[in-house]
Amino acid sequence: MAHALALSNAVAYTSGRDISQTLESARSQVEERFLEGGTVLLSVMDVLNRLLNSLESVTTALDNKEASDTSADLRATVESLMALPVTEENRLQALVSLAHTGRELRKHVADMQETMRYLRTFAVTVKITGAGLAEFAGFAQEILERIYSGTDEVNRFATHLDSLDKEVKLAASFGAGVSKSYADTVPAVAGALRDDAAKIAAHRKDLGVIAREVGAIARAVQGKVASTLSALQIGDITRQRIEHVQATFSLLEDFFAGEDGARLDAGARQRLQNVIHHLTAAQMSDMCANFQRDSENVVKTIASFDHDMREILKLRDRMSGESGEAGGNFMRALESSVSAAHEIVKQVDTASRQADQVSQSTIGTAAKLSEAIGNIRAVKTDIHYMALNTNLRCSRLGEEGRSINVVTAELRIFAGKLDDSADAIVNGLPALEAAAGRVAPATDAGAGNLGESLTSAVGNIRSAANVMENELKVLAENGREVATKISLLIGKLDFQHNLGEALAGCADMLEGVAGTDVADISDLAETIAPLDRKIFKHYTMVQERNIHRGIIPASEDSTSAPAETAKAENDEDLFADALF
């Protein structure tokens, strides 16, 4: 009979160890799978944070005030371009006016040249007529030299005007071509620049909208990951409850090996073992139900990540320009427009330089003409007084000097005509200078700045585009990594596959060992009270305690023990009870 009892005990102990080993395998799987899932979730959270950081960088680049200022600068430059045809037309009209003023002056110079030819003729006549009079020989030569000197001054005067006329004609010819070119090209180029700037601004606006959409989805996924991390607590709870079931079997074995267990007969042992099997089966069944429910929620949440990530990748592709026109194309279009605008600006600079040259040359010519007029007036005065002096001498000579007197009188008359032409020229010089001022107005100083503004604006836009491109590359890489991590996560956190089946198998096994009926051990209450207290003390969840008391009611000894234990529990234990 003792042998049979020992054999029965051995079977019981072996059964408990076998069950514990099966449970240990399940517990190890739970620990491994949930630890792995938690690690993957944390890595997803990390890459999501990087994705959100790169989104913030993209948003910062999009909201860059300098980029907005650059667009404003470009628009201002476009407005300056639009003003070029009017400016060039005004310059052309000023050149026409300058040419007209020059031609009017040239008429008076021609009159002066004609007068000088008459004066030379009269001077030669004086020299011939007075050839027989010794006192007129030196005088005639002197007056002839003064007339030659005056003629040179007038001819130089004419040369200055001729040179000016050639410059004005050249500038006017070039200006006419430029003016026509402006009329043909500037509106189209300015319109293209304006359109390109608008497209870039619209593209940046679209990127901003997409970035906000990506951010919203990424933050939603971040929230789901956080809730999933919290839900992974089911793994730790499941592991703990398996350990509690294992501890229950271990405590039962220790009880049977101890003095209290030795006092029980085989029937009592079997009844107690049956109750413990029912208790562990109930704990495992409840644990499996909770695991099934919570892990299904985890899997559903993780499965929803797939849709979220597809949306993020689609938006990422839109931002990267893989599904539409990229910002790089806009930049190329803008740079092409700016290249055409630069050609116009070169023409502006050339026309401005020519106009400035004409203006400066005209002002210089006016100064030379003023000086020349002074010299011509001096020659006229010398001739006038020489002729007057000759008239006086001829009067003293009587009939002999009468012929010379007639010629010198003509000299005085024609010398006076020089004054009329000189006065007309002097009066026309301010008009010449004013026309020169209109050829190169002060606003033309901005022509060079126009090219600098274009270069600066495009440089800033290109810099902003490069920053955006780099940020979008980082965003694309992070988006790809998030997608990869989540694809891995979906596989790792499918706890129903294998793991749920293993836990359900353990629960079924325990239910099978326990059988259908629960044995009555009310007569053993006092004996098993220490075992009851030890098992009950392992529980960390109210749910476990309720199941336990539903199968093993509390005895007087066991009810006082938890109260005493509760006094000794620290704050963490109380907090754990409150949670579970």
Side-chain angles (χ1 to χ4, degrees):
M1 186 173 182
H3 175 72
L5 180 60
L7 181 61
S8 175
N9 289 344
V11 170
Y13 297 152
T14 303
S15 175
R17 282 194 294 272
D18 288 345
I19 292 172
S20 290
Q21 288 175 0
T22 303
L23 288 173
E24 178 60 22
S25 174
R27 188 198 69 77
S28 297
Q29 287 185 59
V30 168
E31 187 173 41
E32 180 181 352
R33 291 286 294 280
F34 276 84
L35 181 61
E36 189 176 21
T39 301
V40 175
L41 271 175
L42 288 173
S43 68
V44 169
M45 183 68 82
D46 178 63
V47 76
L48 275 171
N49 288 335
R50 294 205 303 273
L51 178 67
L52 287 170
N53 287 337
S54 63
L55 274 171
E56 185 176 348
S57 297
V58 168
T59 304
T60 300
L62 288 170
D63 294 338
N64 190 345
K65 185 177 182 298
E66 290 183 5
S68 301
D69 292 343
T70 297
S71 297
D73 291 343
L74 187 58
R75 287 192 294 272
T77 303
V78 169
E79 294 306 316
S80 298
L81 272 176
M82 290 296 291
L84 288 179
V86 175
T87 301
E88 190 55 34
E89 181 61 28
N90 291 338
R91 192 198 329 265
L92 185 59
Q93 292 304 318
L95 284 169
V96 170
S97 174
L98 179 59
H100 176 73
T101 304
R103 283 194 298 272
E104 289 299 314
L105 288 178
R106 190 70 179 78
K107 291 178 182 178
H108 298 300
V109 173
D111 289 342
M112 291 176 73
Q113 286 177 318
E114 184 67 21
T115 300
M116 294 309 293
R117 278 196 295 274
Y118 279 113
L119 288 174
R120 282 200 308 274
T121 300
F122 289 128
V124 171
T125 302
V126 168
K127 188 173 183 180
I128 295 171
T129 305
L133 300 172
E135 60 181 297
F136 286 109
F139 162 74
Q141 184 61 35
E142 183 180 354
I143 199 170
L144 189 59
E145 288 176 359
R146 292 301 291 152
I147 290 172
Y148 282 138
S149 173
T151 300
D152 290 342
E153 288 290 345
V154 172
N155 288 339
R156 276 196 295 270
F157 196 113
T159 301
H160 290 319
L161 279 180
D162 290 342
S163 177
L164 176 63
D165 186 57
K166 289 179 182 178
E167 289 184 19
V168 171
K169 284 181 179 178
L170 181 62
S173 175
F174 180 81
V178 170
S179 184
K180 185 178 184 307
S181 173
Y182 284 179
D184 293 340
T185 61
V186 166
V189 170
L193 280 173
R194 189 184 292 113
D195 290 345
D196 294 337
K199 285 179 182 178
I200 289 175
H203 181 64
R204 291 173 69 85
K205 185 178 179 181
D206 291 342
L207 286 180
V209 172
I210 297 172
R212 286 191 289 275
E213 291 178 13
V214 173
I217 297 174
R219 278 184 283 274
V221 173
Q222 195 178 41
K224 289 180 182 179
V225 171
S227 64
T228 305
L229 275 170
S230 178
L232 287 185
Q233 182 177 291
I234 184 60
D236 191 49
I237 291 172
T238 301
R239 176 189 58 77
Q240 286 185 44
R241 293 189 70 173
I242 291 174
E243 290 175 350
H244 297 164
V245 171
Q246 289 176 301
T248 299
F249 282 118
S250 179
L251 289 171
L252 178 62
E253 288 189 5
D254 292 343
F255 177 78
F256 281 149
E259 293 181 2
D260 292 335
R263 290 198 292 270
L264 298 178
D265 59 23
R269 284 172 176 266
Q270 287 180 352
R271 282 186 292 138
L272 177 58
Q273 191 176 47
N274 174 265
V275 170
I276 293 300
H277 284 160
H278 275 283
L279 173 62
T280 53
Q283 295 285 15
M284 282 296 295
S285 178
D286 182 71
M287 180 205 69
C288 283
N290 290 343
F291 179 83
Q292 180 79 13
R293 182 190 66 241
D294 293 344
S295 62
E296 277 184 1
N297 291 335
V298 169
V299 171
K300 285 179 182 177
T301 302
I302 295 299
S304 71
F305 288 177
D306 186 51
H307 172 74
D308 294 332
M309 286 320 302
R310 281 199 301 271
E311 289 301 309
I312 286 179
L313 289 178
K314 282 197 295 187
L315 292 171
R316 180 209 67 180
D317 291 344
R318 282 175 57 193
M319 291 188 77
S320 300
E322 295 174 10
S323 61
E325 191 173 27
N329 291 333
F330 294 143
M331 280 305 304
R332 284 193 290 274
L334 176 64
E335 288 177 349
S336 175
S337 300
V338 169
S339 177
H342 268 301
E343 288 302 314
I344 293 174
V345 169
K346 286 179 184 177
Q347 294 179 0
V348 172
D349 288 337
T350 302
S352 295
R353 283 195 299 271
Q354 275 204 332
D356 186 63
Q357 181 179 347
V358 169
S359 178
Q360 294 300 321
S361 179
T362 302
I363 292 170
T365 297
K368 291 175 182 176
L369 292 178
S370 295
E371 182 182 352
I373 287 295
N375 293 336
I376 291 169
R377 286 187 190 277
V379 169
K380 168 258 174 188
T381 301
D382 288 346
I383 293 171
H384 176 79
Y385 283 116
M386 285 180 184
L388 180 60
N389 195 21
T390 302
N391 286 146
L392 292 174
R393 290 184 181 185
C394 287
S395 296
R396 288 197 298 268
L397 289 174
E399 190 64 29
E400 189 179 16
R402 180 175 295 178
S403 58
I404 297 176
N405 198 16
V406 172
V407 177
T408 53
E410 291 293 330
L411 274 174
R412 288 173 59 197
I413 292 170
F414 276 93
K417 288 184 179 180
L418 286 176
D419 259 345
D420 296 337
S421 298
D423 289 341
I425 290 173
V426 169
N427 292 334
L429 287 179
L432 189 74
E433 291 176 332
R438 290 193 297 274
V439 167
T443 52
D444 280 352
N449 293 335
L450 188 59
E452 293 176 7
S453 298
L454 277 171
T455 303
S456 175
V458 174
N460 290 336
I461 290 174
R462 185 186 296 109
S463 176
N466 289 339
V467 170
M468 180 60 61
E469 184 180 353
N470 292 335
E471 295 299 344
L472 287 177
K473 282 181 181 177
V474 173
L475 178 65
E477 291 170 2
N478 288 333
R480 192 180 303 110
E481 187 175 357
V482 167
T484 303
K485 294 282 187 184
I486 286 183
S487 297
L488 178 64
L489 182 67
I490 292 173
K492 295 294 183 184
L493 296 189
D494 183 8
F495 301 121
Q496 297 300 319
H497 183 64
N498 293 333
L499 186 55
E501 296 167 0
L503 294 174
C506 288
D508 291 342
M509 180 186 66
L510 286 172
E511 288 177 358
V513 172
T516 56
D517 299 325
V518 182
D520 181 12
I521 57 171
S522 57
D523 59 318
L524 304 177
E526 185 177 347
T527 304
I528 67 169
L531 174 63
D532 178 50
R533 286 195 298 272
K534 288 179 181 179
I535 293 173
F536 197 82
K537 188 177 180 181
H538 272 85
Y539 299 138
T540 55
M541 285 155 272
V542 174
Q543 204 169 351
E544 290 178 299
R545 294 166 186 160
N546 292 338
I547 292 171
H548 183 101
R549 286 297 171 228
I551 294 175
I552 304 177
S555 62
E556 292 183 4
D557 292 338
S558 61
T559 53
S560 59
E564 293 175 2
T565 304
K567 292 178 183 179
E569 284 177 340
N570 58 28
D571 291 342
E572 291 183 1
D573 293 332
L574 292 173
F575 184 66
D577 287 345
L579 284 175
F580 303 110

